[in-house]
């Protein structure tokens, strides 16, 4: 794996045949002072995590699961919520390179044919009372067999190979996503970054329901702001909704 990824400017790659969660591993590394660019990759996750304690299913041999450490600057910390869009954008662009037409489901999922092919989990690394890192975890369903049983899922799922109709080399896809992550990371504070993310958003302009811990609201998905927050219009009123504990579905 290291040899195949050696062309990338990555400080360190740790490959684990099996682990609980690459995000937990990368968090521990980050807490121990690992620099930006360290990547943890696993073939099998025993306890892959989504947001809010939800699970993420990783099937050995067919899924991609990895986490990368970022050390944001002070200015970037002001817009920390853009790291999850960064992951989604990098995966979307890598899938476009294969000839696919992905969409991003706000804030952190990548869809193919309106089915979930990838989930992104951005976690903040705290040092005492201040933030000194972000761990970005990415899970992609690559080959058939990686898609969990539909009764386990809140949203329909698919994998890259069934959408493409031919085999996909997991390592090439991993390399491509990492390359796009590194490239787009440099532009995370630019307008172009938001634009590129926004133009791939599914359901933009459509009626959606947003599920928050304190209840649901339905409205038109009007826009996203410079933090990547969702702007929902409900009867002439605008609501700004931050990611984190929110689920979005079309009406
Ligand atoms: C996510 O959470 O989609 C973020 C998933 C991040 C996974 C990566 S893998 C590497 C790193 N290490 C980790 O432990 N995590 C990261 P969320 O939006 O909360 O979606 C979770 C929901 O997606 C679950 O409740 C299921 O309904 C569904 N799901 C689980 N596994 C799936 C899969 N393989 N494909 C499609 N949907 C899945």
């Amino acid at each position: 794996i290291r040899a195949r990824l050696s062309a990338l400017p990555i400080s360190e790659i740790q490959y684990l045949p099996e682990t609980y969660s690459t995000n937990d591993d990368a968090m521990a590394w980050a807490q121990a002072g690992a620099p930006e660019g360290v990547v943890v990759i696993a073939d099998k996750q025993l306890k892959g995590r989504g947001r809010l304690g939800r699970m993420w299913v990783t099937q050995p041999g067919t899924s991609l699961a990895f986490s990368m450490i970022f050390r944001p600057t002070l200015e970037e910390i002001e817009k920390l919520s853009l790291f999850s869009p960064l992951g989604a954008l990098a995966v979307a662009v890598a899938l476009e390179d294969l000839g696919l037409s992905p969409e991003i489901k706000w804030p952190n999922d990548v869809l193919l044919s309106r089915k979930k092919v990838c989930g992104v989990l951005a976690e903040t690394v705290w040092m005492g009372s201040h933030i000194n890192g972000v761990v970005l975890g990415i899970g992609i369903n690559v080959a058939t067999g990686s898609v969990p049983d539909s009764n386990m899922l809140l949203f329909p799922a698919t994998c890259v190979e069934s959408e493409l109709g031919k085999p996909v080399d997991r390592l090439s896809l991993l390399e491509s996503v990492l390359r796009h992550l590194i490239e787009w990371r440099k532009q995370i504070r630019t307008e172009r970054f938001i634009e590129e993310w926004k133009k791939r958003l599914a359901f933009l302009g459509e009626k959606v329901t947003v599920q928050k811990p304190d209840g649901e609201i339905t409205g038109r998905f009007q826009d996203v702001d410079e933090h990547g927050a969702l702007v929902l219009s409900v009867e002439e009123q605008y609501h700004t909704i931050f990611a984190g504990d929110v689920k979005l579905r079309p009406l």
Side-chain angles (χ1 to χ4, degrees):
I1 287 186
R2 271 187 208 97
R4 284 283 299 275
L5 301 176
S6 62
L8 293 168
I10 287 182
S11 40
E12 183 150 354
I13 292 167
Q14 198 188 31
Y15 170 72
L16 305 165
E18 180 179 307
T19 190
Y20 285 97
S21 154
T22 58
N23 258 45
D24 290 346
D25 300 328
M27 279 296 241
W29 277 59
Q31 243 116 29
E36 165 142 345
V38 168
V39 180
V40 182
I41 304 162
D43 186 40
K44 183 175 178 183
Q45 289 191 119
L46 299 166
K47 237 180 162 187
R49 292 188 286 111
R51 295 174 301 152
L52 283 185
R54 288 189 285 257
M55 50 89 210
W56 180 261
V57 177
T58 311
Q59 305 285 13
T62 57
S63 308
L64 267 179
F66 60 96
S67 302
M68 189 176 210
I69 297 175
F70 293 92
R71 296 293 187 185
T73 61
L74 281 178
E75 294 78 45
E76 287 167 349
I77 287 175
E78 285 166 24
K79 291 192 176 170
L80 210 63
S81 51
L82 293 179
F83 276 86
S84 169
L86 169 68
L89 180 61
V91 172
V93 177
L95 295 175
E96 284 163 12
D97 291 347
L98 293 174
L100 292 161
S101 306
E103 290 179 293
I104 297 169
K105 179 166 165 283
W106 185 91
N108 66 329
D109 297 344
V110 182
L111 310 180
L112 286 172
S113 310
R114 295 253 150 133
K115 291 180 231 156
K116 183 160 170 172
V117 73
C118 160
V120 177
L121 177 67
E123 294 184 302
T124 306
V125 184
W126 292 88
M127 190 56 89
S129 59
H130 55 260
I131 292 168
N132 79 348
V134 173
V135 164
L136 197 58
I138 297 182
I140 308 175
N141 302 330
V142 183
T144 343
S146 60
V147 183
D149 236 36
S150 60
N151 60 14
M152 294 178 64
L153 304 174
L154 308 163
F155 197 83
T158 189
C159 67
V160 183
E161 278 189 6
S162 21
E163 298 298 322
L164 195 62
K166 59 178 184 198
V168 173
D169 179 52
R170 279 195 303 161
L171 264 184
S172 308
L173 181 60
L174 172 66
E175 195 205 351
S176 171
V177 174
L178 290 173
R179 201 157 17 86
H180 290 302
L181 266 179
I182 293 164
E183 274 313 304
W184 281 105
R185 186 258 178 280
K186 295 178 196 150
Q187 302 181 54
I188 196 161
R189 275 173 54 85
T190 64
E191 264 173 44
R192 181 157 173 252
F193 171 83
I194 295 272
E195 274 163 30
E196 290 294 322
W197 174 62
K198 186 172 152 180
K199 80 179 188 204
R200 293 171 173 84
L201 285 174
F203 316 122
L204 189 61
E206 295 173 30
K207 265 201 150 184
V208 295
T209 296
V210 175
Q211 205 179 310
K212 303 198 294 173
D214 55 354
E216 286 191 353
I217 45 172
T218 294
R220 191 164 303 279
F221 184 174
Q222 205 70 40
D223 205 355
V224 282
D225 73 8
E226 77 273 17
H227 293 274
L230 181 149
V231 181
L232 195 74
S233 65
V234 187
E235 293 162 2
E236 317 282 294
Q237 278 205 334
Y238 288 103
H239 297 249
T240 302
I241 296 160
F242 291 92
D245 45 7
V246 168
K247 276 249 154 246
L248 175 119
R249 60 180 152 83
L251 198 65

